[in-house]
Amino acid sequence: MPVWRRRKGGGGGISKRATASEQQPSPEIDGKFEEQKREKERITKDSTHNSIKNLKKERSRRSCIHSCCWLIGFICSTWWFLLFLYNAMPASFPQYVTEAITGPTPDPPGVKLHKEGLKAKHPVVFVPGIVTGGLELWEGHPCMEGLFRKRLWGGTFGEVYKRPLCWIEHMSLDNETGLDPPGVRVRPVSGLVAADYFAAGYFVWAVLIANLARIGYEEKNMYMAAYDWRLSFQNTEVRDQSLSRMKSNIELMVATTGEKVVVIPHSMGVLYFLHFMKWVEAPPPMGGGGGSDWCGKHIKAVMNIGGPFLGLPKIVAGLFSAEAKDIAVARAVAPGVLDLDIFGFQTLQHAMRMTRTWDSTMSLIPKGGDTIWGTLDWAPEADHYCVSKTPKNNKTQTTQNNLKSLNYGRIISFGKDIAQLHSSKVERVEFKGAVKGSDYVNRSCGDVWNEYHEMGFNGIKAVADYKAFTVESVLELLQFVAPRMMKRGGAHYSYGIADDLADEKYQHYKYWSNPLETRLPNAPEMEIFSMYGVGLPTERSYVYKFSPAADCYIPFQIDTSAEGGAQQSCLRAGVYSVDGDETVPVLSAGFMCAKGWRGKTRFNPSGIKTHIREYNHAPPATLLEGRGTQSGNHVDIMGNFALIEDIIRVASGATGSDLGGDRVYSDIFRWSERIKLRL
Amino acid sequence: MAAILRFRKLYFIEPTLKKYGSFETSKDENQSLEKPEVDGKKEASQTIKEQQSDKNKKKKQARGWKCVDSCCWFIGCMCTTWWLLLFLYHCLPAHLAGFKGPESPGVRLKNEGLTPLHPVVLVPGIVTGGLELWEGRPCSQGLFRKRLWGGSFTEILKRPLCWLEHLSLDDETGLDPPGIRVRPVPGLVAADYFAPGYFVWAVLIENLAKIGYEGKNMYMAAYDWRLSFQNTEVRDQALSRLKINIELMYITNGNKKVVVVPHSMGVIYFLHFLKWVEAPPPMGGGGGPGWCDKHIQAIMNIGPAFLGVPKVVSGMLSAEGKDIASIRAVAPGLLDSEFLGLQTLEHVMRVGRTWDSVVSLLPKGGDTIWGDLDSSPEDGLCDFESKSYFPTNSKENNTRNDDTKPQIKTKQETKYGRIVSFGKTALTSYDLLQELMDVKRVSNSGANCGEVWTEYGKISRENIMKLADNKAYTAGTLIDLLRFVAPKTMKRAEAHFSHGIASDLDDPKYTHFKYWSNPLETKLPYAPNMEIFCLYGVGLPTERSYVYKLSTSDKCDTIPFRIDSSAGGNGGRGCLRGGVYFVDGDESVPVMSAGFMCAKGWRGKTRFNPSGSGTYIREYRHKAPASLLEGRGLESGAHVDIMGNVALIEDVLRVAAGASGAEIGGDRIYSDILEMAERVNIKL
């Protein structure tokens, strides 16, 4: 650079001088020229030496790194610039764009109803379901240092990637007691933040909360009954006093506003609240001591969203082989990935070990046995017509004849043929007597513990030989393959149907979350709503196969090759599906309100009014709508405008008949009719 | 991506080629110059000129590209390095992070075998609690349930006026303005961190968790700290919520009484609660006279502002504290300029004056406590230099040595009693105030003062002159001054707070809620087994009284008073610095306010403490953090930083785990609080 500058200066001087002394050349100029010449020579030398020789090499070397740096810098700057623009943008801009593209969007229900003049009246209690509530760390092993009061579940899940094994260790419960393992305390996040968003941007309750706020709700008349969804229901009270907390908060809100509360449970929260209603009436050592009229005094309505009253078939596959439809498909597409043992991941096995310590999953095992879910050859939903994702209508009746009725009753069958044969043709070998071999015990399976390696080959074979399982036999199966888990669960849950509800044994808390083994509380003015999505294929039963690699792995897999073809479109990739909200089948969500509790029955002695509100699934029209305002999906339904409107109306004082009573799209009434249950 | 890369490559190579080309031409030119020796000098020079300009152009082009390029390159380098470091940092095992601090008190006490016994209730103070938006004007769109106060405060920068509008309250009712609902954040997150990285309760919570506390036996009594105490119940039912949660924790934790840990203003908030919970339902919580005895084990007041905070006076009078006054002294134009219409202080003052809670912090007890024109209990105890709290001077367990006193008394003549004085030598009292009250608001010149409303616009200049005319105001007359300059605020707030001393506590008027937060106008509840702790920092200069001057600005609606930062010199260690007289304290609350009730007012059986609840004073001497790694210090005595003081945390933990006041060592005193309290003449 100095060379250049000097040269430039020299050149400038020369040219000036040259013009000035054009007529009279002088030796001075000659000298200058000499100097200039020399200088120029030097420069050329320099430049040729430096640049020609080194440039090429250097360029090729430098340009790569430099252009990388440049590129990153460029991208960063652009990103920052866009970010800046985005931040500087008026907040209403996205809405403006959306409206320009899709036409004016309808007002969110909160705004609409606010304009109608609706005001906050009844306090609202939210009861979140399984999985959606956040959990945070209060005490942990050294590997979790620095995460005190940070979310382990919910939020970003960043820790899953950073220290997966540590994370699994902290999320698991003790497999004997179903409570905290020693030295670990993971507790539910409290307040509305517990379940407003599950992960960043993935709303659960947030939309509903925002709409309720529009008509005047705020923290003081909204309460999120957050609880640790991994524990069995009674244990949430034993460990965290969650039920007492909910009771005293409801009492507080009733006392301060003078109005009864509207309870909105979602998913497993439905069962949890069922448990709560029995708990609060029961006398103190086991219950909350509220007395038999507590519910009548404090609760106006229970608006169950996507309630798995009678359990979820999905959970069977989850407990049996830690897979549901999604994982089974992933395995079919990339067979190696999930089964790979390279990094010692054993993902599924770990997941299974962890989930099997969670007692709450057992509350979702299908209830009511074969009476509800069907026998080997009969099921209430047998005439379900699968092709239609459009509203169920009378077409079902006409096309029904062409279809073979489906054996939904066999929740697990080994092989597609077995799934379709009539039961008289299936040869079944009893498995319960089978000796659990010990030929696997010596093999090292790492840290993974999933009870399967204790079963031995004989046991596994025996299971597969039984061929087809109904709900009742699935229970026995689970007891066979996961004895410890079921023993723990058996102390907290029951899955049968009560013959005589007056029997003293039904005072025990293990029956409280099963609607078929409890009576509703004495609260004739209370209303129960069952609100759920329909129009989505929902897992109902499975075709399994014997897994070839039976070493340390889970020995059973969903047989993804089993396809129903055109005739039986309900069978896809080893899974039979029925109508529902993608998680809960219609039967589980609707049966109690459609039949079990309708009118005065033995399950509903005080004649609490029940209403069914179904929401037909319509996928979001454009990407801009996000997860849709008319979704019927199990979780996305929380953003369904029609559902939100119903909730707001009830919260501001409307009754079920003001809303229009039942609103049914599915065949729930016809299916319920077929179930022979003494009422 | 690939396209960009290719595009980039083209441009990256091109300029260098050009440059390279230019070298070649210059070489050619040199050769051509060599051949014709003398002839065509003009030509030559012209070619040179052309070449030069040509080169310059090319060079400019090249450099133009280079500038953007090298910027991008630089940013890229920075980013990459940053990411690399970040990555390395994350890869680092958590416990290998170099500096390993001393064992936290929680761990130590856990090893001693402490386990949770009493449930703990935390009551945050003013300012530290988060506030979030529930309903707002269109300008606040997208902020639903986002924090307006606490957290990152980004909205101040983005939409300052909108932010101010949402944080102010209605200036008639002291409640929400129509169409706006800003509500306190509930739960432990309400005040664990004030801003990211700036802990308030977080350290204490973490230490409590170490010995086994968790959500079920720890409760943060978050309330809207802008409202008057009774209004938090009227609007949010915050007191009912607190009551029911204490009852719940009492029952679910095996009938164990709770330990309450209020901080700063939370102390008088909880005092209000104690009276509220006993009072009958329409006004109170209906818990009956035995409630406190049944449910409360101990109250551990941290940095208690029992008798008010003098700092608030200057805040209300001219929206400035020590810090702002010195900023103004350094850069006189900055805060006063109306450049860009930013009347910062005026805006702050307007918003601050709608917050009733501020009034609860005005000095209570009048001249009896805070001193009259000529003397105050703290006079002569300004001795930061001479005493400076050498460790040898420790006065634990009351072994005090009075011999050191006389030497100090000669040192400096301070008149702390005059909380506000105009001019350093102000003498006369406020006699003219009464007549001023009659003439005020006649000569307001209807001038357009923008939208800023500070009430000063309504007071004529002459009246302000009269107010300021070489007068001094004591804690008693100060209230009158404030009533005059901020009539609306005081009218609203005085329905909720009182600042006097009761002569007869049995007077039925004292059942009104406005007296509940004043310890000098209420009896403590009947709870002979309850213990009251006063935990506060000492050893830091704390604002006590102010020297004011008239502001030079004549513009309408500006604040007419300013702290006279020239009085008493800037810096140094005297008691008068930058217009502010200092006493011992924790930088916000003077020792007098924090300690008097525990030292004298409630000690033994007095009329304020009829059941004789035990009181203990625990002082923590300030020690600045030794190194930067310590952050805000493990032995700090500052008003908020004391929440991270290990000695204080240990005390709280021990009491929560079941220790009594005597077991943790009774009184622990470093300051002159007992002597000061002695000098206060109050009927007990």
Side-chain angles (χ1 to χ4, degrees):
Chain A
M1 206 60 197
V3 178
W4 276 96
R5 201 174 299 137
R6 214 186 319 154
R7 184 161 166 267
K8 195 177 159 192
I14 292 295
S15 55
K16 244 187 251 163
R17 190 104 20 136
T19 41
S21 58
E22 219 175 336
Q23 274 83 26
Q24 25 171 312
S26 64
E28 204 190 330
I29 295 173
D30 277 334
K32 273 273 174 197
F33 260 96
E34 284 292 314
E35 203 183 309
Q36 197 191 354
K37 239 191 280 174
R38 249 180 275 133
E39 203 180 304
K40 278 196 178 173
E41 266 170 18
R42 216 180 68 224
I43 290 157
T44 25
K45 247 185 224 164
D46 278 356
S47 50
T48 41
H49 275 299
N50 285 339
S51 47
I52 297 179
K53 272 192 186 169
N54 298 347
L55 258 181
K56 275 193 182 172
K57 242 196 275 171
E58 218 173 283
R59 285 292 172 221
S60 58
R61 190 155 45 86
R62 280 171 59 196
S63 63
C64 178
I65 301 171
H66 281 218
S67 48
C68 270
C69 279
W70 182 88
L71 188 75
I72 292 168
F74 183 72
I75 292 170
C76 282
S77 320
T78 324
W79 174 247
W80 289 334
F81 181 67
L82 288 176
L83 211 68
F84 173 76
L85 279 185
Y86 176 79
N87 276 327
M89 182 178 71
S92 56
F93 188 69
Q95 205 193 345
Y96 175 77
V97 172
T98 318
E99 276 179 16
I101 296 172
T102 59
T105 50
D107 273 343
V111 177
K112 189 180 117 193
L113 296 173
H114 183 59
K115 282 177 191 156
E116 275 184 28
L118 263 62
K119 288 243 163 49
K121 189 172 177 213
H122 299 280
V124 171
V125 176
F126 306 117
V127 187
I130 198 168
V131 171
T132 47
L135 300 173
E136 59 189 14
L137 183 77
W138 279 83
E139 186 184 340
H141 294 307
C143 67
M144 272 290 175
E145 201 178 277
L147 292 179
F148 176 67
R149 284 184 60 221
K150 299 270 184 307
R151 283 197 184 198
L152 291 190
W153 189 271
T156 56
F157 285 99
E159 296 312 317
V160 184
Y161 304 107
K162 274 204 215 159
R163 20 196 158 175
L165 287 178
C166 185
W167 183 82
I168 284 191
E169 185 187 344
H170 282 78
M171 286 299 296
S172 307
L173 296 169
D174 190 284
N175 71 55
E176 294 293 332
T177 61
L179 293 168
D180 292 320
V184 172
R185 279 188 293 153
V186 174
R187 295 287 177 269
V189 178
S190 63
L192 291 179
V193 285
D196 55 350
Y197 289 92
F198 174 56
Y202 189 87
F203 71 82
V204 181
W205 294 90
V207 178
L208 183 58
I209 292 171
N211 279 293
L212 282 168
R214 294 274 187 181
I215 65 161
Y217 279 93
E218 55 192 69
E219 204 87 43
K220 71 174 173 189
N221 42 17
M222 270 196 283
Y223 174 68
M224 176 78 76
Y227 58 98
D228 189 338
W229 46 262
R230 300 171 305 159
L231 300 184
S232 74
F233 301 156
Q234 191 68 11
N235 274 343
T236 62
E237 171 67 13
V238 171
R239 197 192 72 182
D240 297 338
Q241 287 86 43
S242 299
L243 296 171
S244 303
R245 204 166 292 268
M246 173 148 59
K247 173 174 175 247
S248 78
N249 272 289
I250 290 177
E251 283 169 353
L252 169 70
M253 292 199 294
V254 170
T256 53
T257 60
E259 299 282 352
K260 296 182 196 175
V261 298
V262 170
V263 185
I264 307 172
H266 173 234
S267 186
M268 192 180 79
V270 168
L271 301 177
Y272 188 71
F273 194 73
L274 217 54
H275 186 95
F276 171 79
M277 286 197 289
K278 296 304 287 183
W279 173 86
V280 78
E281 292 187 338
M286 205 193 269
S292 62
D293 56 349
W294 193 93
C295 294
K297 268 193 209 153
H298 292 90
I299 302 173
K300 170 191 154 69
V302 184
M303 308 192 77
N304 303 296
I305 302 177
F309 284 109
L310 303 179
L312 295 181
K314 209 179 194 171
I315 222 76
V316 173
L319 289 174
F320 191 53
S321 64
E323 57 189 350
K325 193 177 56 178
D326 319 324
I327 287 180
V329 169
R331 179 178 276 150
V333 174
V337 178
L338 284 171
D339 303 328
L340 225 50
D341 207 4
I342 306 178
F343 302 110
F345 275 163
Q346 299 180 297
T347 322
L348 279 185
Q349 281 80 359
H350 277 296
M352 182 162 193
R353 185 176 63 127
M354 179 172 74
T355 49
R356 277 200 179 171
T357 65
W358 296 346
D359 287 349
S360 62
T361 50
M362 278 175 281
S363 72
L364 296 171
I365 291 175
K367 288 165 191 161
D370 295 356
T371 318
I372 302 287
W373 294 96
T375 59
L376 286 176
D377 294 313
W378 169 87
E381 302 118 309
D383 60 353
H384 177 58
Y385 175 66
C386 278
V387 177
S388 59
K389 281 186 180 173
T390 49
K392 300 280 156 298
N393 45 31
N394 295 336
K395 238 192 266 170
T396 326
Q397 311 283 351
T398 54
T399 49
Q400 175 193 350
N401 306 331
N402 310 334
L403 290 165
K404 260 196 271 176
S405 75
L406 295 169
N407 294 323
Y408 282 124
R410 305 172 187 181
I411 277 210
I412 288 177
S413 37
F414 280 89
K416 187 186 162 194
D417 311 336
I418 306 287
Q420 287 165 355
L421 280 175
H422 191 267
S423 62
S424 56
K425 294 173 194 158
V426 181
E427 290 174 25
R428 301 205 295 172
V429 180
E430 189 61 33
F431 65 89
K432 275 171 268 181
V435 187
K436 291 187 183 182
S438 57
D439 45 346
Y440 280 151
V441 168
N442 291 335
R443 295 192 193 170
S444 158
C445 291
D447 293 328
V448 176
W449 172 89
N450 58 30
E451 295 195 70
Y452 270 126
H453 63 270
E454 292 171 15
M455 268 175 68
F457 186 74
N458 291 334
I460 290 166
K461 186 77 168 48
V463 167
D465 282 345
Y466 193 63
K467 301 276 191 324
F469 297 85
T470 65
V471 166
E472 275 172 24
S473 49
V474 154
L475 270 178
E476 287 161 8
L477 171 65
L478 287 174
Q479 253 145 26
F480 183 71
V481 300
R484 262 182 270 175
M485 175 186 81
M486 290 306 283
K487 188 172 160 232
R488 226 173 46 233
H492 288 282
Y493 302 108
S494 165
Y495 312 105
I497 298 179
D499 290 327
D500 176 18
L501 280 166
D503 192 332
E504 290 240 330
K505 74 169 184 176
Y506 291 116
Q507 306 281 315
H508 191 268
Y509 62 78
K510 73 185 232 185
Y511 300 103
W512 289 346
S513 61
N514 181 356
L516 297 172
E517 292 179 308
T518 48
R519 290 180 184 144
L520 285 181
N522 175 27
E525 285 165 24
M526 197 169 97
E527 286 184 303
I528 294 181
F529 294 80
S530 201
M531 316 163 87
Y532 52 90
V534 294
L536 284 165
T538 308
E539 296 169 51
R540 174 68 167 80
S541 54
Y542 300 89
V543 177
Y544 263 87
K545 67 176 179 197
F546 202 39
S547 167
D551 195 359
C552 279
Y553 301 106
I554 299 163
F556 308 108
Q557 281 183 7
I558 291 176
D559 182 7
T560 45
S561 63
E563 290 284 348
Q567 268 227 315
Q568 281 197 350
S569 50
C570 286
L571 177 59
R572 283 256 163 74
V575 180
Y576 284 96
S577 52
V578 287
D579 199 5
D581 66 1
E582 222 164 15
T583 301
V584 186
V586 165
L587 194 65
S588 176
F591 173 75
M592 287 318 289
C593 282
K595 190 171 176 194
W597 287 335
R598 185 133 295 191
K600 268 197 186 175
T601 69
R602 67 190 179 110
F603 300 110
N604 179 10
S606 62
I608 295 170
K609 281 203 199 80
T610 61
H611 304 276
I612 292 184
R613 306 284 295 172
E614 291 185 349
Y615 304 90
N616 212 338
H617 177 74
T622 62
L623 270 180
L624 286 169
E625 269 187 40
R627 286 155 66 200
T629 56
Q630 297 174 306
S631 177
N633 181 293
H634 189 59
V635 175
D636 294 353
I637 199 173
M638 309 286 283
N640 186 312
F641 278 9
L643 176 128
I644 293 174
E645 186 175 332
D646 284 352
I647 290 176
I648 294 181
R649 282 192 192 281
V650 172
S652 60
T655 63
S657 42
D658 292 341
L659 290 185
D662 290 341
R663 162 184 156 143
V664 178
Y665 297 95
S666 70
D667 297 323
I668 179 65
F669 281 115
R670 212 149 41 81
W671 291 342
S672 308
E673 209 51 47
R674 295 196 191 138
I675 292 173
K676 298 194 174 42
L677 180 69
R678 190 167 59 83
L679 292 176
Chain B
M1 189 68 97
I4 296 172
L5 206 66
R6 212 170 300 136
F7 174 79
R8 167 61 209 131
K9 258 185 192 158
L10 280 178
Y11 270 96
F12 198 85
I13 289 160
E14 210 174 12
T16 61
L17 281 180
K18 263 184 193 163
K19 220 201 248 164
Y20 187 59
S22 72
F23 281 129
E24 288 208 307
T25 50
S26 71
K27 204 168 79 182
D28 287 350
E29 194 211 318
N30 272 354
Q31 280 163 357
S32 68
L33 270 173
E34 271 172 64
K35 274 174 202 165
E37 289 278 20
V38 196
D39 78 293
K41 271 178 215 155
K42 185 185 170 188
E43 260 181 36
S45 60
Q46 268 178 348
T47 30
I48 289 169
K49 235 204 294 189
E50 276 167 24
Q51 288 289 337
Q52 221 84 54
S53 59
D54 208 27
K55 252 175 260 166
N56 276 359
K57 259 185 220 161
K58 277 175 190 164
K59 231 167 63 185
K60 242 180 222 165
Q61 209 179 4
R63 204 177 283 165
W65 271 105
K66 258 194 136 173
C67 180
V68 180
D69 278 352
S70 49
C71 270
C72 281
W73 179 86
F74 182 68
I75 293 169
C77 270
M78 295 279 287
C79 285
T80 323
T81 334
W82 176 245
W83 289 332
L84 200 73
L85 287 175
L86 213 69
F87 178 73
L88 284 179
Y89 175 78
H90 278 288
C91 282
L92 219 65
H95 50 272
L96 228 163
F99 175 74
K100 185 135 170 82
E103 204 177 29
S104 68
V107 175
R108 191 155 44 82
L109 294 176
K110 192 192 175 188
N111 294 339
E112 270 185 34
L114 262 64
T115 48
L117 182 72
H118 301 287
V120 171
V121 175
L122 312 172
V123 187
I126 197 167
V127 170
T128 46
L131 300 172
E132 59 187 15
L133 183 76
W134 278 84
E135 184 183 342
R137 302 266 151 80
C139 69
S140 65
Q141 209 186 22
L143 293 180
F144 176 67
R145 287 186 58 220
K146 297 270 185 308
R147 283 196 183 198
L148 290 189
W149 188 271
S152 58
F153 285 100
T154 44
E155 294 310 318
I156 306 183
L157 303 174
K158 273 202 208 162
R159 23 195 157 174
L161 287 178
C162 182
W163 183 80
L164 281 174
E165 184 186 353
H166 283 81
L167 274 180
S168 16
L169 295 168
D170 191 284
D171 68 284
E172 295 291 334
T173 61
L175 294 168
D176 291 321
I180 291 178
R181 280 186 292 150
V182 174
R183 295 287 178 270
V185 178
L188 290 177
V189 286
D192 55 350
Y193 289 93
F194 175 56
Y198 189 86
F199 71 84
V200 181
W201 292 92
V203 179
L204 183 58
I205 292 173
E206 192 166 348
N207 280 295
L208 282 167
K210 284 266 160 56
I211 66 165
Y213 279 91
E214 58 192 55
K216 69 176 176 187
N217 43 18
M218 213 171 356
Y219 176 70
M220 175 78 78
Y223 59 97
D224 190 337
W225 46 264
R226 301 171 304 159
L227 299 183
S228 75
F229 302 157
Q230 191 68 10
N231 274 342
T232 63
E233 170 65 14
V234 170
R235 198 192 70 180
D236 298 336
Q237 284 86 47
L239 296 172
S240 302
R241 206 167 288 267
L242 177 56
K243 174 174 176 245
I244 211 148
N245 272 291
I246 290 178
E247 285 169 354
L248 173 69
M249 290 200 297
Y250 174 74
I251 292 166
T252 56
N253 289 289
N255 294 357
K256 290 281 176 296
K257 299 182 194 179
V258 299
V259 168
V260 185
V261 188
H263 173 234
S264 185
M265 192 180 80
V267 168
I268 43 181
Y269 185 73
F270 195 73
L271 212 58
H272 186 95
F273 171 79
L274 288 179
K275 298 302 289 182
W276 173 87
V277 77
E278 290 190 333
M283 205 192 269
W291 195 93
C292 298
D293 194 33
K294 188 181 167 199
H295 292 95
I296 299 175
Q297 166 74 20
I299 306 176
M300 309 201 72
N301 304 295
I302 301 177
F306 279 120
L307 302 179
V309 181
K311 212 177 193 174
V312 165
V313 175
S314 71
M316 282 194 69
L317 208 56
S318 62
E320 59 190 351
K322 184 186 57 174
D323 318 323
I324 286 180
S326 52
I327 289 178
R328 180 176 277 144
V330 176
L334 192 64
L335 285 169
D336 305 329
S337 69
E338 277 180 50
F339 183 62
L340 297 177
L342 288 173
Q343 293 166 290
T344 323
L345 280 185
E346 281 78 4
H347 276 295
V348 168
M349 179 168 214
R350 183 180 60 124
V351 174
R353 280 198 180 172
T354 64
W355 296 345
D356 285 348
S357 62
V358 174
V359 178
S360 76
L361 292 172
L362 285 180
K364 286 166 193 160
D367 297 357
T368 317
I369 301 288
W370 296 97
D372 54 24
L373 284 175
D374 299 318
S375 68
S376 79
E378 287 136 302
D379 279 352
L381 293 179
C382 167
D383 45 8
F384 290 106
E385 261 172 300
S386 59
K387 190 160 67 170
S388 69
Y389 302 103
F390 292 118
T392 52
N393 207 8
S394 143
K395 280 172 237 148
E396 279 186 57
N397 300 332
N398 275 344
T399 54
R400 302 184 63 245
N401 189 354
D402 279 0
D403 299 343
T404 49
K405 290 302 144 204
Q407 157 216 345
I408 295 152
K409 272 179 186 163
T410 55
K411 197 176 161 280
Q412 195 170 4
E413 196 60 28
T414 47
K415 295 256 187 297
Y416 286 126
R418 307 168 184 188
I419 286 199
V420 170
S421 44
F422 286 91
K424 207 175 162 186
T425 53
L427 281 172
T428 53
S429 183
Y430 74 112
D431 298 338
L432 287 171
L433 203 60
Q434 284 311 316
E435 71 189 63
L436 279 169
M437 295 301 242
D438 305 329
V439 292
K440 71 171 177 176
R441 277 190 212 94
V442 280
S443 50
N444 188 10
S445 55
N448 182 13
C449 296
E451 284 174 52
V452 175
W453 172 87
T454 60
E455 293 187 302
Y456 276 121
K458 294 181 184 159
I459 304 170
S460 71
R461 188 76 188 160
E462 301 84 69
N463 280 346
I464 287 168
M465 296 286 278
K466 276 189 211 162
L467 276 181
D469 187 21
N470 216 28
K471 292 190 184 64
Y473 298 88
T474 63
T477 55
L478 183 79
I479 307 284
D480 294 324
L481 173 68
L482 286 172
R483 274 187 202 131
F484 183 73
V485 298
K488 265 189 180 173
T489 312
M490 291 305 283
K491 189 170 161 234
R492 208 177 57 232
E494 290 206 303
H496 289 279
F497 300 108
S498 166
H499 301 94
I501 298 180
S503 46
D504 176 17
L505 279 166
D506 293 323
D507 193 329
K509 80 168 180 175
Y510 288 116
T511 54
H512 191 269
F513 62 79
K514 73 185 234 190
Y515 300 103
W516 289 346
S517 61
N518 183 352
L520 297 173
E521 289 179 309
T522 48
K523 289 177 191 161
L524 282 182
Y526 173 78
N529 299 320
M530 190 171 84
E531 290 183 326
I532 298 176
F533 294 83
C534 288
L535 310 120
Y536 53 89
V538 293
L540 283 166
T542 308
E543 296 169 51
R544 173 66 170 80
S545 50
Y546 300 91
V547 178
Y548 264 87
K549 67 174 181 194
L550 276 180
S551 131
T552 46
S553 164
D554 249 346
K555 274 182 218 132
C556 76
D557 215 10
T558 50
I559 301 165
F561 310 120
R562 296 277 184 252
I563 291 177
D564 183 5
S565 50
S566 65
N570 249 319
R573 298 224 60 185
C575 290
L576 175 61
R577 267 181 287 146
V580 182
Y581 285 97
F582 291 97
V583 286
D584 198 5
D586 66 359
E587 223 164 16
S588 290
V589 184
V591 166
M592 189 63 172
S593 173
F596 176 75
M597 291 316 289
C598 285
K600 189 171 177 193
W602 288 333
R603 184 137 290 191
K605 269 196 186 177
T606 67
R607 64 190 181 110
F608 300 111
N609 180 9
S611 65
S613 307
T615 61
Y616 299 95
I617 294 181
R618 304 285 292 174
E619 291 184 346
Y620 304 91
R621 198 171 30 206
H622 177 74
K623 204 169 143 197
S627 68
L628 270 180
L629 281 171
E630 268 187 40
R632 286 154 66 203
L634 303 170
E635 293 173 78
S636 175
H639 191 58
V640 175
D641 295 353
I642 200 174
M643 310 283 283
N645 185 311
V646 286
L648 177 132
I649 290 174
E650 186 178 332
D651 285 352
V652 173
L653 259 55
R654 284 193 189 280
V655 171
S660 69
E663 278 162 12
I664 61 170
D667 286 345
R668 159 182 159 144
I669 297 175
Y670 299 98
S671 71
D672 302 313
I673 178 66
L674 292 180
E675 191 185 336
M676 288 180 202
E678 206 54 43
R679 293 194 206 160
V680 174
N681 280 319
I682 190 168
K683 181 163 71 84
L684 290 176

